[in-house]
Amino acid sequence: MPKKVFLSLKYPQLAIDMLTQAGFDITINESNNLIPQDELINICQEYDALLSTGSNKIDAHFLKSCQHLDVISQFAVGYDNIDVQAAKQFGIVIGNAPGAMTEATADVAFGLMIMVSRKMVYMHKTIEKGQWEHFVPTANLGFELDGKTLGVFGLGTIGMVMAKRCKAAYGMDIIYHNRSRNQAAEDTLNAKYVSFDELLAQSDVLSVHSNLTEETKGVFGKDAFAKMKNSTVFINTARGGIHNETDLIEALKNGSIWGAGLDVTNPEPMQPNNPLLQMENVAVLPHIGSSTVEARNEMARMSAQNIIDFYKTGKIPHPVT
């Protein structure tokens, strides 16, 4: 009997074709609505493997209830929605799609930096409101990025691409804070490793590219924002939980920082009455970091390959450890 795989959403056709051609019996959630956890647990009782997304809550309760599953492959890079230790306890192999969205997410971070520095989103809204008035020399001023300092929190693959873009486009100085040194960045970009407090104090643009962990959860809160320059732009395209949104709003209101660009929010999705959406120096996107044809197809390929290789060889190419 062919192994049965449940796809929690309608993923790109590439994943569907790969699994079908490999002989799997697949079922797809054609509605594209997120399945509540209890319902997903019930569905998975009939399946051997699950292709999930970061929106699915794969916690200890889910894993204990579905401990018969052989493998869960996540259509994402991040896996903070999965209790990895519980999965190990129940012998369920977990895979993801690292690196698939590197270029796409770096583009969003770079774009948010420009949008915020020139108030682009807010100024577009003034046109919609019929507020395009005559030229005022001292109105609607942003700032230029040339020669500024980019601080990167989490200088991994995506952070590295963001740093390369900023260095090439604007000659920006690169500083970073990591759990470990990034020698490649230091060699090729003359990046400087600094303490967290130094990162806060020296960055003109501070871009977050780290994983969400117990150590990084809420690390950008009241105290952190208070240590930044009042000219700093805060960018987060990683996970909303890394910043405290209430503290971010207050920092923007009291002028502790200059602006913010977010592709991830806390909570997510953001409510339409959130004050950030009306602020002049803020740009918010609805978590579209991976929203390119190329990135989504690569995520599809990698997440499908995890399942295919597991049943062929007993190992997956992109394991979460």
Side-chain angles (χ1 to χ4, degrees):
M1 294 290 291
K3 295 294 184 180
K4 299 179 68 176
V5 182
F6 185 72
L7 281 62
S8 67
L9 290 172
K10 189 174 182 180
Y11 297 107
Q13 191 63 39
L14 178 61
I16 297 168
D17 291 344
M18 287 176 64
L19 291 167
T20 301
Q21 291 167 13
F24 291 95
D25 179 359
I26 67 170
T27 303
I28 305 165
N29 171 21
E30 296 281 359
S31 74
N32 258 338
N33 294 322
L34 186 66
I35 301 173
Q37 188 189 58
D38 288 346
E39 184 179 341
L40 186 60
I41 288 172
N42 289 333
I43 291 171
C44 284
Q45 300 308 308
E46 305 298 322
Y47 292 87
D48 304 296
L50 171 66
L51 204 164
S52 66
T53 181
S55 299
N56 295 126
K57 189 177 181 182
I58 313 294
D59 59 6
H61 169 64
F62 177 94
L63 293 162
K64 183 177 181 180
S65 303
C66 297
Q67 57 187 284
H68 65 283
L69 289 173
D70 297 319
V71 58
I72 298 173
S73 186
Q74 178 128 301
F75 185 80
V77 175
Y79 48 89
D80 48 277
N81 62 307
I82 300 176
D83 189 330
V84 177
Q85 292 306 312
K88 289 181 181 178
Q89 177 186 343
F90 295 117
I92 302 172
V93 175
I94 306 294
N96 65 338
M101 60 181 73
T102 297
E103 300 290 333
T105 304
D107 281 346
V108 167
F110 189 80
L112 282 168
M113 175 182 70
I114 298 171
M115 285 192 284
V116 174
S117 68
R118 296 299 301 274
K119 307 182 183 180
M120 290 183 180
V121 172
Y122 180 82
M123 296 315 302
H124 176 81
K125 290 178 181 178
T126 64
I127 299 173
E128 293 179 334
K129 295 174 182 178
Q131 297 172 353
W132 189 341
E133 300 176 353
H134 64 85
F135 173 70
V136 179
T138 57
N140 308 320
L141 302 182
F143 67 89
E144 297 180 14
L145 295 161
D146 191 62
K148 296 294 194 294
T149 296
L150 172 72
V152 181
F153 182 75
L155 189 59
T157 307
I158 298 173
M160 185 74 166
V161 175
M162 171 64 168
K164 287 179 179 178
R165 281 161 168 59
C166 292
K167 188 78 170 180
Y170 296 113
M172 296 176 78
D173 294 323
I174 311 299
I175 61 175
Y176 73 99
H177 182 73
N178 269 15
R179 288 179 296 179
S180 57
R181 301 284 286 264
N182 186 327
Q183 195 60 51
E186 294 181 16
D187 292 342
T188 62
L189 300 174
N190 198 29
K192 180 182 177 183
Y193 177 83
V194 296
S195 69
F196 183 58
D197 281 351
E198 289 172 322
L199 185 81
L200 299 175
Q202 297 175 23
S203 298
D204 295 309
V205 177
L206 202 163
S207 194
V208 177
H209 299 282
S210 68
N211 293 327
L212 177 62
T213 66
E214 286 303 316
E215 291 74 26
T216 63
K217 185 177 181 180
V219 68
F220 288 95
K222 182 178 180 180
D223 291 343
F225 293 127
K227 294 175 182 178
M228 295 183 190
K229 300 177 185 179
N230 60 12
S231 57
T232 299
V233 169
F234 175 75
I235 305 292
N236 189 359
T237 56
R239 285 290 186 267
I242 297 172
H243 71 259
N244 181 306
E245 205 141 291
T246 301
D247 292 348
L248 175 59
I249 291 169
E250 185 58 33
L252 289 161
K253 284 182 175 179
N254 66 30
S256 293
I257 63 174
W258 195 85
L262 306 175
D263 186 43
V264 290
T265 60
N266 183 17
E268 196 171 294
M270 175 181 278
Q271 294 300 308
N273 62 349
N274 191 302
L276 291 170
L277 297 175
Q278 305 305 321
M279 291 185 178
E280 188 171 350
N281 298 338
V282 175
V284 182
L285 299 175
H287 204 151
I288 61 166
S290 67
S291 297
T292 66
V293 172
E294 294 85 354
R296 293 286 170 84
N297 278 340
E298 182 62 4
M299 292 163 68
R301 185 194 67 77
M302 295 173 79
S303 55
Q305 198 67 54
N306 282 334
I307 295 172
I308 293 168
D309 284 8
F310 174 81
Y311 285 109
K312 278 187 175 180
T313 68
K315 296 181 180 180
I316 62 175
H318 310 292
V320 170
T321 56

